[in-house]
Amino acid sequence: MPAHTIAVFNAKGGVGKTSTSYNLAVGLQRFHNLRVLLVDIDPQGHAGVALGVNIADLQHRIDEVLQEKASIKDTIVKTESGVDVVPSNILLAEAEIPISGLHGREVLLRRAISSVINEYDVILTDCPPNVGILSVNALMAAKQVLVPVDMSYLGLLGIPVIERILGLIQNRLEHPIEILGVLATRYDSRLNIAKDVLDSLEKHFGDRLFETVIPETVKIREAPSFQASIFDHAPGSSGAMAYQQLTEEVMKRVR
Ligand SMILES: Nc1ncnc2c1ncn2[C@@H]1O[C@H](COP(=O)(O)OP(=O)(O)O)[C@@H](O)[C@H]1O
Ligand SMILES: [Mg+2]
């Protein structure tokens, strides 16, 4: 069976896309024994960094893959976490303009992934915090999208933006992407705004909102600096338990 393809997307930055994609990737590998590929299509490259990849010195890069100058197989890095990564770095940002001029520019990643889709059970893509051609590629290469939303007023304001983009992908680009789930992230129970935003998300998304809520914790924040997932950096912590619970919910919803 080909891999389940999931894009982790929100047009807003700082909502926990990268934290969620790399921790979810490790969790799905570890607790569900799946073969997981994490594709980083954000030029910041933080998903690779968080798993210990030296992104400054990549032999072959995702920007070359998108431009058909390299094979995706040559870019895959096996990490100690057990997850395979296609890392990125800032050179991907430089490639954005030439990529935008290519024929079939929206489906470059989908085409690249097709050559490894039978070698993995799950392929997760960490998106940049914008709606440019790189995010479009991630969404066009995914059957489902996971949307992390942080517990802020601006986070809530971003919801119509996300819905509009998904509508464009479905209607204009004719790709029937589905919402795997909306994930409440960075939840601080001491803050009224956090409760208010969570309430609004429940009302708006109903059962498309994951029951799992990711707490705001120091351990989740510092884990990337140890090049470790939350499961290795702080096993048993509230953050580790939340991300493990998320893997269970994701397993029930993947198609
Ligand atoms: N649950 C959390 N608790 C504490 N800090 C978090 C949490 N999630 C993310 N962060 C921190 O917030 C910042 C933005 O998170 P990140 O995952 O990079 O978001 P995005 O990829 O959406 O921009 C990072 O410094 C990250 O470590
Ligand atoms: Mg990110």
Side-chain angles (χ1 to χ4, degrees):
M1 205 170 87
H4 302 293
T5 46
I6 303 168
V8 179
F9 171 72
N10 185 326
K12 184 173 178 296
V15 301
K17 287 181 296 297
T18 300
S19 303
T20 296
S21 34
Y22 94 98
N23 284 311
L24 180 60
V26 175
L28 289 171
Q29 194 284 323
R30 189 153 314 171
F31 305 117
H32 301 274
N33 200 24
L34 300 178
R35 298 166 299 168
V36 182
L37 179 66
L38 176 60
V39 177
D40 189 1
I41 199 156
D42 181 353
Q44 291 186 87
H46 290 170
V49 170
L51 289 176
V53 178
N54 175 6
I55 63 164
D57 188 23
L58 299 172
Q59 285 228 310
H60 292 287
R61 301 181 318 269
I62 181 86
D63 52 291
E64 297 171 319
V65 173
L66 296 174
Q67 297 175 91
E68 292 192 302
K69 294 175 184 166
S71 154
I72 194 164
K73 290 186 184 171
D74 294 333
T75 66
I76 294 176
V77 178
K78 297 206 172 292
T79 70
E80 251 178 61
S81 68
V83 167
D84 287 1
V85 185
V86 174
S88 83
N89 63 22
I90 193 63
L91 294 170
L92 178 57
E94 286 178 28
E96 216 175 321
I97 291 172
I99 285 170
S100 300
L102 293 178
H103 178 71
R105 60 183 175 264
E106 296 95 355
V107 289
L108 303 171
L109 184 63
R110 182 194 291 177
R111 195 173 52 200
I113 279 177
S114 66
S115 66
V116 292
I117 201 151
N118 291 313
E119 291 168 32
Y120 293 94
D121 300 305
V122 179
I123 300 179
L124 276 170
T125 304
D126 185 23
C127 291
N130 58 48
V131 289
I133 193 66
L134 298 174
S135 289
V136 169
N137 264 273
L139 294 168
M140 292 297 285
K143 194 164 180 190
Q144 294 175 298
V145 56
L146 187 158
V147 183
V149 180
D150 68 315
M151 299 298 97
S152 71
Y153 177 63
L154 296 179
L156 209 50
L157 281 188
I159 300 295
V161 177
I162 296 162
E163 290 180 325
R164 191 174 176 96
I165 293 157
L166 296 180
L168 287 174
I169 296 287
Q170 289 156 339
N171 302 324
R172 191 92 63 85
L173 294 173
E174 297 180 353
H175 173 52
I177 194 162
E178 295 168 10
I179 295 186
L180 173 74
V182 174
L183 177 67
T185 60
R186 313 198 60 179
Y187 184 83
D188 182 339
S189 59
R190 295 168 303 182
L191 303 180
N192 285 332
I193 180 73
K195 289 176 199 146
D196 292 347
V197 172
L198 187 57
D199 275 353
S200 302
L201 292 179
E202 268 163 11
K203 284 201 188 88
H204 188 75
F205 288 107
D207 57 16
R208 282 188 299 171
L209 181 69
F210 286 111
E211 277 179 33
T212 304
V213 173
I214 306 299
E216 173 87 15
T217 75
V218 172
K219 295 293 183 198
I220 293 175
R221 176 178 291 266
E222 67 190 10
S225 67
F226 293 85
Q227 277 98 56
S229 75
I230 190 65
F231 310 112
D232 292 306
H233 177 59
S237 64
S238 59
M241 289 193 294
Y243 273 118
Q244 183 169 357
Q245 189 190 332
L246 178 65
T247 70
E248 303 293 337
E249 282 196 83
V250 166
M251 289 307 291
K252 286 187 197 138
R253 295 184 184 201
V254 282
R255 300 203 319 115

